[in-house]
Amino acid sequence: MEELLERLNAAQREAVTSTEGYVRVIAGAGSGKTRALSSRFAYLVREAGILPGHILCVTFTNKSANEMRQRIHNLTGDQDTGYICTFHSFCVSVLQEDSHAVQYPKNFLVLDNSDIDDMLKILYEERGLTLRHMTFRKARDMFEIRKLFEEPEYYLDLISMSLEQLRDKYWQAVKPADILFYGYLYQQKKCFGLDYNDLIQFSLYIFEQYPDIRLKWQKRLEYIMIDEFQDIDALQYQLMSVLSGYHHNLFIVGDPDQTIYTWRGANVRYLLDFHRNFSPSQDILMVENYRSTPQILAVANSLIAKNQNRIPKELSPVRPDGPPVLCFYGDNAQKEAEWIAEQMQALHQSGVPYREMTVLYRAHYVTRTLEEVFLRKELPYTIYSGVQFFGRKEIKDALAYLRLIACQDDLSFLRVANVPKRNLGERRMKFLQEFAEQNHCSLYQAARQSRENPVFQGSRLDRLLELVERFSSGQEDKPVSEVLAEVLDASGYEEMLRTEGSQERLDNLAELKQSVYEFEISCGEETTLEHYLSHVALFTNRDTAEAGDRVKLMTVHAAKGLEFPYVFLCGMSEGIFPSRKIRTWDGMEEERRLAFVAVTRAERGLYLSQAGGRDFDGSPRYPSRFLLDIDQSLLTFVHPPREELIAEARQYIAASKRRLAGAPAPAPLEPGRRVRHKIFGEGRVLEVDPEEGACTIQFDGMETPRQLSLAVKLEYL
């Protein structure tokens, strides 16, 4: 253990050897928290003599738990690594041991989303519901909300009611939400199934109702360690509080600057207020960063310092200097993608494998232009936790509609004939296929010739044929982008996605429309539907590059917990990153934390980029406020942005800040504060005289200061 401790820095060593009481470790990005956690576990076992089975170490993903378990095994050499698991996995252990208390068998079923969807299919069919009443996703969300907030004692129904009583409650329900909720509880009872939230709720119920069981677990778990504490939610916090209630040994590790899951229930206040709720407690600050160069960390520190709801700290670099952080303002998305590809090719030529380069973005639809450029330049890539843009279902469906209009081919007909539903099931499609084979014609021609056949009575085949006939004749003079928009509307495809609540897929279709529009602009008036389909076929028939050496493309959320030698953070525009959906001050702070997470994924090189121009709806694209948050002296601009563009962006951002709900009141004007005047530009306050109602400001572009009324509108920097 002495050798192990010598390899740790002072803060890590303090964390490892602080065994008793409540300990809060604020661990910055790349500061070696996993090493500290695994070393502390080994220290408790090898030095303190604690049995591994008496230690609970909670992580937030099974992957992290497996990695932690392997590290601890390597340090201790012991096959018994105690409870190293997620909250949900731990609750499965509790219920497998004590589920008899709630009349559940040990072999109960843990339900995932696909299991819940299978139950929903049964309920929809039994009670004649459709997706217009409620989508599956909304139904799952409704179950979670009702269980957590509206009917938090639902589990009493599952425990106390007989199967017959639950079934009666289900069949007596009238409102769709009640039908689905009670029907779901009935289906759960039938198979003794519990979903993820049930696991914690049932465990807490057992601990509350059966003090002997609670005390057994409290005594067993002598030491509790929790990783990623900034992501903990209310139920997990309650469970942790109960489990640590006997020995009072609770060790937590987290970083409030990396709270990016509030939409999943995470509450950063649990970390920020830990010392108030668990007293006395010890605080340890780990800020030595082993991952990134000083240049990258300077950018990260400058960015996150703009957040107010945080514990102030600065990451300190351990690595030597690296290249400057490059920032590129492109006139449009095409030029942004071209620049990224050029930088990657230059890195590759200098000996850097493509697999060491990663593109991060806020939303998947941003990849469309990147993929087009990468394919044209034969730059190998792979989408991490996603599908290539032109391989996504909604994009292939939309293009199939265009191909069906242009070519009436069988593949396109088969793909979209029943999307959205037109009652063209297997029996009717088989009829068309047999008719086409016997008459040596296409499926579309077979449909036209068979439209009066009784077999299609009750179907909506006529609507599909009318759609194709309408758009295949008399549309030659229309722009392709207009045809695409009209087809997606007339076919009911976009309405289907709205009914399903698939906003991400709708965003992807909007990006497809943007790509068609840009293609028309670049090609001019001669653009035809056939011309566009030939062009896009180059992207849908993607060549496969060598398996191992590819650029990775992924969202920032997917990159959480990972690190990459070279990071390209693209799409840094207002409305993209930060997302246009952000409506509150707290939401904007979380977006900034997400940008901070993206920046701190980079080890050796960081590239930031933004595309100007206009969106499909005609609105201008401004540089992201997160780019402007960073001290501009820390960035190396490939082409310095126009001063007019930056001024317009700052005005837009200032106006949007005022619209954010929950925005804090502006700090008082005081000497030393940096401000911006709409005419005089930026400057520093020298003096404030409340009696005179005036302030004196030295503006950067003026030799002498100006005395202005306190009523003047100033933007605080």
Side-chain angles (χ1 to χ4, degrees):
M1 284 306 301
E2 287 300 323
E3 182 183 347
L4 173 65
L5 293 175
E6 286 176 3
R7 293 202 299 265
L8 305 176
N9 64 38
Q12 291 171 335
R13 198 156 44 245
E14 183 183 3
V16 168
T17 56
S18 298
T19 62
E20 304 307 304
Y22 300 117
V23 182
R24 175 175 67 173
V25 178
I26 304 299
S31 61
K33 64 182 179 65
T34 304
R35 171 187 282 190
L37 277 165
S38 54
S39 298
R40 188 174 190 269
F41 193 110
Y43 185 83
L44 287 170
V45 172
R46 291 174 57 183
E47 289 295 295
I50 303 299
L51 296 173
H54 289 195
I55 303 173
L56 169 63
C57 182
V58 178
T59 68
F60 269 78
T61 66
N62 289 314
K63 180 182 177 183
S64 298
N66 292 334
E67 180 186 347
M68 188 81 69
R69 199 175 293 114
Q70 185 59 50
R71 285 196 185 206
I72 290 170
H73 169 69
N74 292 340
L75 290 172
T76 64
D78 198 330
Q79 292 298 332
D80 182 3
T81 51
Y83 295 98
I84 303 174
C85 53
T86 64
F87 276 108
H88 295 97
S89 296
F90 172 73
C91 288
V92 169
S93 299
V94 171
L95 293 171
Q96 284 175 338
E97 189 169 318
D98 293 305
S99 60
H100 59 86
V102 290
Q103 295 85 52
Y104 262 61
K106 292 185 183 297
N107 60 339
F108 62 88
L109 181 66
V110 179
L111 304 171
D112 60 19
N113 282 346
S114 64
D115 296 321
I116 298 172
D117 286 350
D118 289 340
M119 290 179 175
L120 286 170
K121 290 173 187 175
I122 296 171
L123 301 177
Y124 276 59
E125 188 172 342
E126 279 185 346
R127 298 299 301 271
L129 299 177
T130 69
L131 293 176
R132 291 183 182 276
H133 291 100
M134 190 177 295
T135 66
F136 282 11
R137 178 183 295 180
K138 285 187 177 179
R140 293 196 305 269
D141 290 344
M142 182 265 292
F143 297 158
E144 184 171 356
I145 291 170
R146 286 182 74 153
K147 285 182 173 185
L148 292 178
F149 305 111
E150 296 175 9
E151 300 181 43
E153 295 185 349
Y154 71 94
Y155 47 82
L156 293 178
D157 290 341
L158 284 174
I159 294 168
S160 61
M161 284 190 177
S162 67
L163 194 59
E164 290 73 21
Q165 288 173 314
L166 269 178
R167 183 181 61 198
D168 290 344
K169 202 167 184 178
Y170 159 54
W171 282 104
Q172 289 165 9
V174 176
K175 296 179 180 178
D178 291 339
I179 291 171
L180 292 174
F181 183 66
Y182 294 119
Y184 176 52
L185 296 187
Y186 167 61
Q187 292 291 334
Q188 281 191 274
K189 183 84 172 184
K190 276 177 68 176
C191 65
F192 289 109
L194 298 176
D195 60 35
Y196 286 165
N197 286 317
D198 294 330
L199 296 174
I200 299 182
Q201 288 275 59
F202 272 61
S203 299
L204 284 169
Y205 175 76
I206 290 173
F207 291 152
E208 179 184 346
Q209 297 296 318
Y210 300 92
D212 55 329
I213 296 177
R214 178 179 70 236
L215 187 60
K216 176 188 71 174
W217 284 97
Q218 287 177 329
K219 284 185 173 181
R220 182 186 301 179
L221 302 175
E222 297 175 340
Y223 293 89
I224 298 173
M225 300 189 290
I226 301 178
D227 191 14
E228 304 286 6
F229 197 78
Q230 75 276 355
D231 294 331
I232 202 169
D233 63 27
L235 282 180
Q236 294 161 349
Y237 183 80
Q238 189 179 347
L239 179 64
M240 170 213 70
S241 301
V242 170
L243 292 173
S244 61
Y246 183 79
H247 293 292
H248 304 292
N249 288 326
L250 180 59
F251 178 91
I252 67 164
V253 182
D255 181 6
D257 290 337
Q258 297 189 70
T259 303
I260 61 173
Y261 294 118
T262 57
W263 50 275
R264 278 194 332 210
N267 189 340
V268 71
R269 296 309 316 179
Y270 294 136
L271 176 59
L272 295 176
D273 297 338
F274 183 83
H275 62 296
R276 297 188 179 93
N277 300 324
F278 296 89
S279 181
S281 65
Q282 176 184 355
D283 275 350
I284 300 171
L285 198 62
M286 288 170 45
V287 293
E288 288 188 51
N289 179 285
Y290 294 87
R291 177 186 300 156
S292 307
T293 65
Q295 287 77 7
I296 295 170
L297 292 186
V299 167
N301 287 329
S302 177
L303 170 65
I304 200 60
K306 302 302 184 295
N307 268 13
Q308 297 181 9
N309 196 20
R310 63 187 296 259
I311 295 175
K313 68 178 187 303
E314 282 211 354
L315 296 174
S316 175
V318 173
R319 295 184 61 142
D321 277 349
V325 175
L326 295 184
C327 188
F328 178 78
Y329 285 83
D331 291 338
N332 51 50
Q334 183 77 17
K335 290 188 177 179
E336 179 189 20
E338 294 274 1
W339 179 77
I340 290 173
E342 289 167 4
Q343 298 302 309
M344 287 181 168
Q345 289 173 328
L347 280 173
H348 190 63
Q349 289 170 3
S350 70
V352 178
Y354 283 123
R355 62 178 171 272
E356 293 188 1
M357 308 174 207
T358 303
V359 181
L360 299 181
Y361 40 82
R362 180 64 177 86
H364 275 301
Y365 67 84
V366 172
T367 67
R368 190 267 306 171
T369 309
L370 275 172
E371 291 188 64
E372 289 185 0
V373 171
F374 284 8
L375 288 166
R376 191 173 68 249
K377 291 180 174 290
E378 298 183 348
L379 201 155
Y381 72 92
T382 183
I383 300 282
Y384 188 96
S385 296
V387 181
Q388 281 80 7
F389 184 83
F390 286 100
R392 291 167 192 161
K393 182 182 185 304
E394 61 275 13
I395 303 302
K396 295 178 78 171
D397 287 347
L399 294 176
Y401 268 112
L402 292 183
R403 281 199 308 272
L404 186 59
I405 290 166
C407 311
Q408 290 91 52
D409 63 297
D410 285 359
L411 285 177
S412 300
F413 187 89
L414 285 169
R415 183 170 188 93
V416 299
N418 206 35
V419 183
K421 297 291 185 184
R422 298 186 177 92
N423 293 333
L424 295 174
E426 289 184 16
R427 181 175 64 88
R428 286 168 171 153
M429 293 302 291
K430 186 177 180 182
F431 176 90
L432 284 179
Q433 288 171 320
E434 290 175 351
F435 185 97
E437 189 173 339
Q438 292 168 4
N439 293 276
H440 307 291
C441 62
S442 68
L443 289 174
Y444 176 75
Q445 291 170 329
R448 290 189 65 185
Q449 295 176 40
S450 307
R451 65 200 309 171
E452 303 297 334
N453 193 297
V455 74
F456 293 106
Q457 186 174 355
S459 77
R460 291 190 285 277
L461 176 63
D462 264 345
R463 294 190 187 179
L464 176 64
L465 295 175
E466 288 167 4
L467 179 82
V468 177
E469 289 164 3
R470 171 187 159 194
F471 284 97
S472 59
S473 61
Q475 302 295 319
E476 295 83 359
D477 296 333
K478 280 190 175 182
V480 181
S481 55
E482 190 175 323
V483 173
L484 174 62
E486 290 182 8
V487 167
L488 291 175
D489 178 55
S491 65
Y493 192 87
E494 284 189 321
E495 182 183 359
M496 175 190 73
L497 295 186
R498 280 190 289 270
T499 302
E500 293 176 358
S502 302
Q503 186 57 50
E504 183 177 347
R505 296 173 68 188
L506 287 167
D507 286 343
N508 287 335
L509 287 180
E511 186 64 20
L512 178 65
K513 295 173 188 175
Q514 175 78 9
S515 78
V516 178
Y517 174 73
E518 290 176 0
F519 177 73
E520 291 170 339
I521 295 297
S522 64
C523 293
E525 295 180 358
E526 72 276 7
T527 305
T528 64
L529 181 55
E530 290 78 6
H531 188 190
Y532 173 72
L533 290 172
S534 298
H535 163 78
V536 82
L538 298 174
F539 304 122
T540 55
N541 297 323
R542 180 177 179 229
D543 294 330
T544 56
E546 55 182 294
D549 195 24
R550 295 186 182 185
V551 174
K552 290 183 280 290
L553 277 65
M554 68 181 76
T555 64
V556 182
H557 278 104
K560 177 73 163 61
L562 304 177
E563 53 191 39
F564 315 100
Y566 296 89
V567 166
F568 293 78
L569 181 53
C570 69
M572 295 294 285
S573 300
E574 287 291 309
I576 299 177
F577 201 1
S579 167
R580 64 178 179 275
K581 299 175 185 176
I582 302 303
R583 296 288 184 268
T584 67
W585 185 270
D586 287 344
M588 190 58 71
E589 290 224 331
E590 178 156 351
E591 285 287 289
R592 188 175 285 106
R593 291 194 293 266
L594 189 60
F596 172 79
V597 166
V599 168
T600 53
R601 298 311 93 195
E603 297 173 343
R604 303 201 295 269
L606 176 63
Y607 302 77
L608 307 174
S609 62
Q610 182 264 342
R614 295 185 177 274
D615 289 322
F616 182 72
D617 62 3
S619 59
R621 280 185 176 172
Y622 291 120
S624 168
R625 67 193 66 196
F626 302 146
L627 287 177
L628 303 182
D629 280 343
I630 300 166
D631 183 340
Q632 302 296 282
S633 67
L634 301 175
L635 301 174
T636 298
F637 294 96
V638 179
H639 297 295
R642 293 182 295 107
E643 291 184 7
E644 297 84 1
L645 173 67
I646 298 302
E648 288 177 20
R650 292 192 185 279
Q651 289 177 359
Y652 170 84
I653 292 165
S656 73
K657 283 181 179 178
R658 291 192 290 270
R659 292 193 295 268
L660 292 174
L669 194 65
E670 55 190 16
R673 174 172 286 280
R674 294 283 297 174
V675 296
R676 180 181 293 107
H677 186 281
K678 67 178 181 179
I679 296 175
F680 300 144
E682 296 183 8
R684 186 177 301 279
V685 178
L686 300 180
E687 184 182 358
V688 178
D689 188 342
E691 292 184 5
E692 286 286 332
C695 60
T696 305
I697 302 175
Q698 176 64 64
F699 290 101
D700 297 348
M702 299 181 179
E703 293 184 3
T704 58
R706 296 290 184 272
Q707 190 173 43
L708 305 176
S709 165
L710 287 177
V712 70
K713 287 186 178 180
L714 296 171
E715 180 188 347
Y716 292 177
L717 302 178

